[in-house]
Amino acid sequence: MATSQKMTPVGKTRPDGPGSRFHASGKLFTIIARDSETWIVHDAVLSQSPVLARMCQTLMSEAQNQLIKLPEDDHNIFGRVLEYLYCGDYSPWTTCTYMADGITAKIHLTAPGDIVPDRDANLFANMYITADKYQLDLLQELTIRKIKLLHTLTDHAYYAMVQKVYEAVPSSDARFRAYFMDSAPLRLRRLQGPELTKLLEKIEAGGALARDCFEAQHKGFMKEKEGKR
């Protein structure tokens, strides 16, 4: 992935990525994100997002300059969106390590020494929110898989990530809610101090997070009950 004021085209990492077939053809659009970070991108790659596709169609139908301004998008996040559109993944990349039998694969994130779970949880929250904004369902699914690989994520960072996503995406979003209800029961039991107070305030305010907290807790109780039979 390249991002520069020279407006270098992005997406040269994986020749078999979903956007690779568009490298040699199609119109080019210039995208400017926050902080004037600039990319040149193939329109067919952008068309993977219904939202970005409509922007391209509008500019072409009105014979305007092929310039898309996204002043609300952080360049570190949108740059990864473009990386995904061209390559099918984004940094930190998801990789497989095959065991001795050549069949069993261990899924992990690349460069484990560079992974900081509490920091990357915020990155993944922003990626999930941006994927929702641009209607990129598969990017949302990929991001949840990455979140699940943050095995040492602290409770503080976990709940900060959860609250951020719940506040930004519609309550109809099923993917992240399913992840939360699967991962929350154990964390809810050990919650205490300021984090518990913050969560109780959210619950008192109602909404999807409050409802899902109750459902996750109930799910945990039922699982424990079944285990004692």
Side-chain angles (χ1 to χ4, degrees):
M1 178 181 64
T3 59
S4 72
Q5 295 300 323
K6 295 181 180 179
M7 300 183 292
T8 304
V10 301
K12 299 180 180 178
T13 311
R14 278 190 177 175
D16 59 341
S20 60
R21 63 187 181 277
F22 305 128
H23 284 197
S25 62
K27 295 182 180 297
L28 293 172
F29 280 80
T30 301
I31 297 180
I32 301 179
R34 190 188 306 167
D35 300 327
S36 299
E37 197 74 19
T38 306
W39 303 268
I40 292 179
V41 188
H42 297 85
D43 65 329
V45 172
L46 295 175
S47 69
Q48 295 175 85
S49 159
V51 176
L52 293 171
R54 287 194 293 270
M55 292 182 183
C56 293
Q57 292 168 1
T58 298
L59 290 174
M60 287 189 290
S61 64
E62 296 178 358
Q64 297 183 17
N65 292 330
Q66 293 172 354
L67 174 65
I68 298 175
K69 294 183 179 180
L70 304 174
E72 296 181 357
D73 286 283
D74 180 271
H75 67 273
N76 288 317
I77 301 302
F78 195 79
R80 285 178 166 85
V81 172
L82 294 178
E83 185 179 19
Y84 165 78
L85 291 177
Y86 271 101
C87 308
D89 202 348
Y90 65 90
S91 57
W93 287 49
T94 307
T95 59
C96 294
T97 299
Y98 287 92
M99 303 295 104
D101 57 12
I103 299 175
T104 306
K106 180 180 179 182
I107 310 298
H108 58 89
L109 296 175
T110 54
D114 296 330
I115 302 300
V116 181
D118 285 18
R119 177 201 63 198
D120 293 331
N122 184 62
L123 164 66
F124 293 150
N126 287 324
M127 285 298 298
Y128 191 89
I129 293 166
T130 305
D132 176 75
K133 175 181 178 180
Y134 291 108
Q135 299 177 15
L136 292 165
D137 296 346
L138 294 180
L139 177 54
Q140 288 182 300
E141 293 178 6
L142 173 63
T143 299
I144 288 177
R145 292 201 298 272
K146 289 177 183 285
I147 291 172
K148 290 179 179 179
L149 295 173
L150 299 177
H151 302 300
T152 59
L153 182 63
T154 65
D155 289 341
H156 173 79
Y158 171 81
Y159 284 107
M161 173 189 68
V162 166
Q163 291 178 24
K164 187 170 193 175
V165 172
Y166 267 79
E167 290 172 358
V169 303
S171 59
S172 59
D173 177 82
R175 294 180 184 86
F176 195 86
R177 292 178 66 185
Y179 157 74
F180 173 69
M181 285 187 282
D182 283 340
S183 60
L186 179 61
R187 291 182 182 271
L188 286 170
R189 290 190 177 191
R190 64 182 185 228
L191 198 61
Q192 58 185 336
E195 294 304 317
L196 176 59
T197 301
K198 291 179 182 178
L199 186 60
L200 288 174
E201 291 174 352
K202 294 290 182 181
I203 292 175
E204 289 175 1
L209 179 57
R211 182 170 61 251
D212 290 349
C213 279
F214 174 80
E215 188 170 340
Q217 190 76 304
H218 179 263
K219 183 177 181 179
F221 286 144
M222 294 303 295
K223 187 174 181 179
E224 181 180 348
K225 183 178 180 180
E226 292 175 0
K228 291 181 179 179
R229 288 180 180 177

